[in-house]
Amino acid sequence: METKADSNLKHELESLRQQAEAALKAADTKDALEAVRVEYLGRKGRITGLMRGLKDVAPEDRPAMGALANEIQEALGQALEARLSVYLQAEIAEKLKAETMDVTMPGTYRPMGGQHPLSRVVADICAIFAGMGFAVIDDDFCPEIETEYYNFEALNFPEHHPARDMQDTYYTNVAGNVLLRSQTSNAQIRYMENHPLPVRVVSPGRVYRNEEVNSRKFVLFHQLEGLLVDEHVRFSDLKGVLHEFTKQFFGGERPTRFRTSFFPFTEPSAEVDVQCIFCEGKGCQVCGHVGWLEILGAGMVDPNVLQNVGIDPAKYNGFAFGMGIERLAMLKYSINDIRLFFNNDLRFLKQFKGL
Ligand code: DAH
């Protein structure tokens, strides 16, 4: 028999269903729907509240009442779900629209970098000497912050010798004898100290001199040092190697000439000229109308230098050479100002891309 409590609860459940349906209908935002869910279906919601009255219902009627409550709950849940999903779909659609990728749009232009002309020239020069069997010393093998011993003394520049003044050297205040190397010739000493004979190497790197800056001189520049030490090395070997170098570097057979010169670490010493690549010896502005361009210093390694690294000069001899990279690059690419290598002007640097 249906008791009063039964009919009350049933009535209330039915009325709750209607209220919930009305509330659902009226909810026109996602938040409003969420509020309906909390109000009716939440843990502390109205359906749960009503179901507390189930205990007053006659035991035989409880299942039917419970089923009714469940049915209401489920129906409401489904209706809510359906309404919410409209909002969710709309949200997703909006998000997708905002994130749409137009694959036909042009990409962001990121220009490719290029090798600096000096790096390029160093690589070219090293490749030429590698082709003649010279090993290339890593440019961090020799320190740029050097001691007087490696920069001068071991290279046979006696203390107070005027030859030290040929290179206006930067001294540091670290200690009286610590300086910025003024030449890559320190590589000769450092390499021979650590490697067995025979030696056949080139060593590129940066050097520093306290120069007045102009279109031909800068306070830092690059050199490439060459060294060959073995038995029975002749001056003509040096000539052959350098002749082959100029041929490959400037492209084509070109006369070279050796003028006597002086360097403390070579004896005899020479400065090497290549026939002017612009006028082929006829004389022009670049070569100062002499038809020749000076490109490097060279000579036979002085016996004192060998002795300083513990090599017996009676048994071994060798040749060395040192060239200015900027000068060679300027000649090869007709660059008229050394400062262009150092001020990072893209209009200049771009011209060497893909060379
Ligand atoms: N170190 C010399 C300079 O900077 C260049 C040089 C000359 C290097 C003759 C050599 C050499 O190895 O044999 O002026």
Side-chain angles (χ1 to χ4, degrees):
M1 193 188 81
E2 197 173 80
T3 65
K4 191 151 182 274
D6 297 1
S7 85
N8 271 352
L9 184 60
K10 193 172 172 188
H11 185 75
E12 279 181 71
L13 276 170
E14 286 300 348
S15 130
L16 188 123
R17 185 211 300 261
Q18 280 167 19
Q19 289 173 41
E21 277 168 2
L24 202 60
K25 218 171 181 179
D28 53 2
T29 64
K30 199 178 146 208
D31 287 347
L33 285 169
E34 183 59 20
V36 172
R37 193 186 64 77
V38 172
E39 184 181 348
Y40 291 90
L41 301 177
R43 255 189 329 120
K44 292 177 184 165
R46 291 175 61 182
I47 296 185
T48 315
L50 275 186
M51 291 322 283
R52 282 197 199 104
L54 204 60
K55 63 181 187 311
D56 301 325
V57 171
E60 64 272 25
D61 292 330
R62 278 182 206 161
M65 219 55 82
L68 176 62
N70 274 343
E71 183 202 310
I72 294 173
Q73 199 162 8
E74 222 154 88
L76 190 58
Q78 276 174 16
L80 261 170
E81 202 65 19
R83 291 283 311 276
L84 269 173
S85 86
V86 173
Y87 286 101
L88 282 176
Q89 296 296 341
E91 256 174 37
I92 290 172
E94 201 157 303
K95 209 168 163 197
L96 281 176
K97 205 168 137 197
E99 287 173 2
T100 307
M101 193 172 23
D102 180 355
V103 291
T104 64
M105 289 246 296
T108 315
Y109 176 59
R110 303 214 188 282
M112 281 272 282
Q115 210 176 17
H116 191 280
L118 288 178
S119 308
R120 174 60 195 263
V121 169
V122 168
D124 286 351
I125 297 173
C126 287
I128 294 170
F129 283 108
M132 289 190 269
F134 286 76
V136 180
I137 306 180
D138 252 13
D139 64 359
D140 56 6
F141 174 78
C142 292
E144 290 173 18
I145 299 170
E146 191 50 289
T147 59
E148 267 187 323
Y149 177 77
Y150 287 100
N151 195 75
F152 288 130
E153 210 173 310
L155 286 160
N156 201 34
F157 286 76
E159 215 184 334
H160 307 304
H161 191 281
R164 290 197 187 192
D165 300 337
M166 281 162 61
Q167 304 174 359
D168 292 314
T169 310
Y170 282 117
Y171 279 82
T172 69
N173 52 14
V174 177
N177 63 344
V178 177
L179 46 77
L180 299 184
R181 71 170 170 185
S182 60
Q183 49 184 353
T184 46
S185 304
N186 66 333
Q188 296 188 26
I189 306 301
R190 291 209 171 257
Y191 195 83
M192 286 191 287
E193 273 184 347
N194 285 299
H195 295 84
L197 293 170
V199 161
R200 199 185 328 184
V201 288
V202 290
S203 178
R206 204 176 288 154
V207 302
Y208 303 84
R209 288 190 199 175
N210 189 4
E211 305 268 19
E212 200 168 317
V213 174
N214 57 37
S215 63
R216 290 159 53 93
K217 288 186 170 167
F218 200 64
V219 289
L220 75 90
F221 56 100
H222 298 75
Q223 290 186 331
L224 180 127
E225 194 78 12
L227 177 69
L228 184 147
V229 181
D230 203 344
E231 290 178 54
H232 313 300
V233 180
R234 295 162 303 180
F235 197 86
S236 55
D237 296 325
L238 171 65
K239 285 185 105 170
V241 164
L242 293 179
H243 184 76
E244 181 62 22
F245 164 72
T246 56
K247 184 170 142 189
Q248 289 194 37
F249 184 75
F250 291 110
E253 194 67 51
R254 228 164 263 289
T256 44
R257 75 174 185 188
F258 285 63
R259 282 179 288 107
T260 48
S261 183
F262 171 79
F263 299 103
F265 41 90
T266 43
E267 182 59 36
S269 301
E271 276 172 306
V272 178
D273 300 337
V274 62
Q275 190 191 61
C276 181
I277 55 173
F278 299 102
C279 63
E280 307 212 321
K282 291 185 201 70
C284 67
Q285 229 176 335
V286 181
C287 62
H289 305 284
V290 293
W292 295 92
L293 296 167
E294 183 198 321
I295 55 163
L296 55 85
M300 301 304 285
V301 180
D302 193 290
N304 288 342
V305 173
L306 295 176
Q307 231 149 21
N308 287 340
V309 290
I311 294 173
D312 179 4
K315 190 151 182 245
Y316 296 99
N317 68 341
F319 64 71
F321 54 88
M323 53 185 79
I325 306 289
E326 281 80 357
R327 176 157 175 81
L328 286 169
M330 287 167 82
L331 289 175
K332 184 161 175 176
Y333 296 113
S334 301
I335 298 163
N336 59 10
D337 194 324
I338 192 171
R339 290 169 289 197
L340 285 165
F341 291 116
F342 300 102
N343 55 18
N344 293 331
D345 186 335
L346 282 179
R347 291 169 303 179
F348 169 72
L349 296 174
K350 270 184 182 165
Q351 298 176 52
F352 298 89
K353 255 171 83 170
L355 256 185

